Amino acid sequence: MLSQSIADTILTMITIEKRYKAGDKLPNENELAAELNVSRTTLREAIRILVAYNILEIQRGKGTFVTPAAFETSPGLRELSDIKVNARDLYEMRLIFEPEAAGLAAVRGTDAEIKRILELGEKIEQEIRAGQDRTDNEHAFHKAIAQATHNEFMNQLMPILYEAIAKGVTLSAVSPKAASDTVTDHRMIMDFLGQRNAEGAKNAMKIHIMHAIRELGIE
């Protein structure tokens, strides 16, 4: 359902990309609908979903605001995120999970979801070239791919993988080869997603994670 997917995207913008804090007002309806490439009707439905979960609140005559509840992870996800696992296990999990997610995203993702993945990929490339921290956008990029699978279980697994992604970003700061691989690999993933090539996207993601495993020295 597109409205649920857009609700997930807005939540990602709040909690992962950290574009909005508790108490911040969202952009007006026309601006946000244009950014997300959806109709205002779909956006309103997505906002209603987030209001129902107390993530957003609508203040009459003022706009739509982010609530503190947006930053409270559910107990189940918090337990997953707090599990202390070593880098080998984390990356093994990514290798099992993310190539299949990329393949499904290429087939199932809406045009708006694919567009968002590509935009996040461009942001990451810009941050790498500028020597900036890209952790938040890396999380958002992989989260957006998981969302585009339209498989809720895949979506719920993402928090435990963020630690592995963060480790890779930290390594890239001192490894020009790792950063260079990321730019090349992401471009390959993005190209196959843009072409709706499931097998290509799957293989590109596998190569990306294998490169990260090699650079981390955890083969």
Side-chain angles (χ1 to χ4, degrees):
M1 188 169 150
L2 183 55
S3 58
Q4 179 63 59
S5 176
I6 295 302
D8 287 341
T9 297
I10 295 171
L11 183 58
T12 297
M13 291 164 70
I14 295 167
T15 60
I16 296 174
E17 296 177 46
K18 297 179 171 60
R19 287 172 57 176
Y20 307 104
K21 304 185 299 292
D24 281 356
K25 180 181 176 181
L26 293 188
N28 69 47
E29 193 176 84
N30 288 335
E31 290 176 10
L32 195 53
E35 179 180 350
L36 296 173
N37 196 28
V38 295
S39 68
R40 287 185 297 169
T41 300
T42 298
L43 177 61
R44 288 188 200 115
E45 290 171 357
I47 287 173
R48 276 199 291 270
I49 291 169
L50 293 173
V51 168
Y53 281 97
N54 196 29
I55 303 299
L56 298 175
E57 67 171 349
I58 298 172
Q59 298 180 14
R60 286 178 179 272
K62 294 183 178 179
T64 303
F65 295 82
V66 179
T67 72
F71 301 92
E72 296 171 4
T73 310
S74 69
L77 292 186
R78 190 180 299 115
E79 287 165 12
L80 275 179
S81 299
D82 289 344
I83 292 173
K84 301 302 181 184
V85 290
N86 63 38
R88 183 188 298 274
D89 287 349
L90 281 168
Y91 271 83
E92 186 175 83
M93 184 69 176
R94 287 191 70 186
L95 200 54
I96 293 167
F97 165 69
E98 292 194 78
E100 294 298 328
L104 286 175
V107 175
R108 296 179 179 174
T110 65
D111 289 344
E113 287 169 337
I114 297 296
K115 179 174 180 282
R116 178 167 172 73
I117 293 167
L118 301 187
E119 287 174 348
L120 286 166
E122 295 285 355
K123 287 181 182 178
I124 291 166
E125 186 170 328
Q126 291 167 12
E127 288 170 337
I128 288 173
R129 297 193 188 285
Q132 299 171 339
D133 178 28
R134 66 180 195 276
T135 305
D136 289 343
N137 278 326
E138 280 279 3
H139 286 172
F141 178 79
H142 289 277
K143 171 78 168 177
I145 291 173
Q147 287 177 343
T149 68
H150 296 267
N151 180 305
E152 186 56 29
F153 186 64
M154 283 191 173
N155 204 28
Q156 294 297 325
L157 271 175
M158 282 308 297
I160 200 169
L161 301 181
Y162 290 156
E163 185 179 343
I165 294 168
K167 284 179 187 293
V169 172
T170 300
L171 174 77
S172 295
V174 295
S175 171
K177 183 67 168 66
S180 173
D181 281 348
T182 296
V183 171
T184 303
D185 294 349
H186 275 197
R187 180 59 58 185
M188 184 165 52
I189 293 166
M190 291 157 63
D191 285 347
F192 282 122
L193 286 172
Q195 296 166 26
R196 300 287 188 165
N197 185 325
E199 199 62 31
K202 185 189 300 186
N203 289 331
M205 182 65 79
K206 184 175 182 179
I207 290 168
H208 175 45
I209 297 169
M210 291 297 292
H211 278 158
I213 288 171
R214 183 189 64 202
E215 293 299 328
L216 278 171
I218 57 172
E219 295 168 288

